[in-house]
Amino acid sequence: MRSALLRGRTFVVAAPALALLATAAPSAVAADSPAGSAYGASASVSLLAGVLGDKGISVETGKLAPSSTDGPTSASVVDVPLKGLVTAKAVTSSAKQDGDSGPVQSKAAIVDATLPVLAPLAGSTPKASVISSECKSTSDGITASSDIANLDLGRIGKLPVGTGPNQKIGVPGVLQVIVNEQVKHADGSLTVNALHVKLLGGKTLGALGSGDIVLASSTCGKVAPAVVTTPTAPAKPPAQGPGQVTVVPAGAPETGDGTLAAVTEQ
């Protein structure tokens, strides 16, 4: 019986130790780490003669002021003349992640922007005081939004206040302007472009050319939810009732196989 009681005590001490190990174990994460990226502007267009000069031109700018969770995590450019297509006082972007697998936040913004490339259609140079986008990714999902302050597109058209995702205006066959464009990719990531100008390259009178201009783009990757492993509860030891006390008169002879003597307390 003494050895049984010792085994019981050893089992009870081990249970808290198992719980401590379970608490200290790291939570599981997805194999593909979430990531974010952003940039201020990009353009890939072929313009017809007379749009920005006497001759037609092709423009490939790449991404202006790019940032990424892999670094650099922020970027900025001031006094931007984007090949005559867009001008801006300042362009900034940032993409950051909390830890190795935590939430992701990406931002991009353009301050005091003008779009000379659209002037022939707009009747004047389109402008906006702020063009920005932002996305956030957590284990609950990805959210995205855009902000375009004081946008004036002239004759091209006006957008209602509080524009939802993927609102479009423009000139059929010539131009399409997408505001708060949100694109979900096959890997679960989400890109939000505050302003996407698409030159449709048609032969319609007043055509500007073909290609794309993207302003204030932010992308957030999918964040895998943390997996918490709950340890299996250990089996309970046999219930130990209150100790039995048997009084044996002094000098009484032992009987049976000695079991009674083993649990006798004096």
Side-chain angles (χ1 to χ4, degrees):
M1 180 64 71
R2 183 179 301 275
S3 60
L5 291 175
L6 288 175
R7 285 196 299 270
R9 292 192 184 100
T10 302
F11 191 87
V12 172
V13 171
L18 289 174
L20 180 61
L21 290 174
T23 303
S27 60
V29 296
D32 51 337
S33 299
S37 61
Y39 62 89
S42 71
S44 176
V45 300
S46 293
L47 300 178
L48 300 178
V51 177
L52 290 178
D54 294 334
K55 297 181 179 181
I57 59 173
S58 294
V59 179
E60 289 278 354
T61 66
K63 295 178 180 179
L64 185 66
S67 60
S68 167
T69 50
D70 293 332
T73 56
S74 62
S76 63
V77 180
V78 296
D79 298 327
V80 181
L82 194 63
K83 304 292 185 180
L85 304 173
V86 180
T87 68
K89 183 176 181 180
V91 175
T92 61
S93 76
S94 65
K96 299 179 181 180
Q97 185 174 20
D98 186 6
D100 294 332
S101 58
V104 175
Q105 183 176 30
S106 300
K107 297 180 180 181
I110 301 176
V111 177
D112 292 338
T114 67
L115 289 85
V117 67
L118 300 184
L121 289 178
S124 60
T125 301
K127 59 185 178 180
S129 57
V130 176
I131 301 174
S132 66
S133 68
E134 179 180 5
C135 62
K136 296 180 180 179
S137 179
T138 69
S139 58
D140 294 327
I142 305 175
T143 58
S145 62
S146 297
D147 182 22
I148 302 180
N150 302 315
L151 177 64
D152 182 1
L153 294 175
R155 292 196 301 253
I156 295 173
K158 293 183 178 181
L159 290 165
V161 177
T163 298
N166 303 309
Q167 296 297 308
K168 302 173 183 178
I169 60 172
V171 179
V174 176
L175 170 74
Q176 185 178 77
V177 179
I178 308 173
V179 179
N180 192 21
E181 181 181 43
Q182 298 189 16
V183 181
K184 188 172 183 178
H185 306 286
D187 63 357
S189 61
L190 180 69
T191 294
V192 51
N193 302 315
L195 201 66
H196 183 178
V197 177
K198 302 180 73 171
L199 306 182
L200 303 179
K203 296 181 179 180
T204 307
L205 181 65
L208 302 178
S210 61
D212 297 88
I213 301 170
V214 176
L215 304 180
S217 177
S218 303
T219 299
C220 287
K222 189 176 180 180
V223 174
V227 178
V228 180
T229 303
T230 303
T232 303
K236 295 182 178 180
Q240 300 292 330
Q244 180 181 358
V245 178
T246 302
V247 178
V248 180
E254 293 185 5
T255 60
D257 58 5
T259 302
L260 183 60
V263 296
T264 300
E265 295 185 10
Q266 297 294 336

